[in-house]
Amino acid sequence: MNVVENTFASLWPWVRRRRMTARIMAAVPGNYVLTALLTACIARLLPAPPADASMTALLLSFLIFPALAIAIFSVRSVVRIWIYIGAAIAAFSVLLFVSLSAGGRL
């Protein structure tokens, strides 16, 4: 084993830990923010009475959160995960802002 391979082998556990930490950060707080925004958008945009729309969005959030967590751990690239989560958070934030700015329910 040469010096380069030996150095990389000694750093490998740290690389794996950083990747796993980045995935966990995406799967828990990032997923929470994304699910909350998506749930709020669903509740605002459903054509139902407010109480029914809120309850439907709440029940859907229990399906959205684990589905996103599974998707986060199935994607190979950690950078791609963060790009997708950031883009989705930005898109749903704008959608929710426009919905709230428009006043009543859309």
Side-chain angles (χ1 to χ4, degrees), residues 14-36:
W14 293 102
V15 172
R16 288 179 51 204
R17 286 184 188 141
R18 281 192 300 187
R19 287 181 184 164
M20 186 56 67
T21 302
R23 286 182 188 272
I24 291 171
M25 293 302 291
V28 180
N31 191 3
Y32 178 80
V33 171
L34 183 57
T35 303

Side-chain angles (χ1 to χ4, degrees), residues 81-98:
I81 291 169
W82 280 104
I83 289 172
Y84 288 162
I85 287 179
I89 287 173
F92 287 120
S93 296
V94 168
L95 181 66
L96 186 59
F97 177 75
V98 168

Side-chain angles (χ1 to χ4, degrees), residues 31-46 50 52-65 68 92 95-96 105:
N31 191 3
Y32 178 80
V33 171
L34 183 57
T35 303
L37 285 170
L38 186 57
T39 302
C41 289
I42 290 171
R44 294 281 298 172
L45 299 175
L46 277 179
D52 293 339
S54 296
M55 186 59 66
T56 303
L58 174 74
L59 292 174
L60 284 174
S61 73
F62 291 120
L63 296 175
I64 294 168
F65 191 88
L68 287 174
F92 287 120
L95 181 66
L96 186 59
R105 297 176 49 84

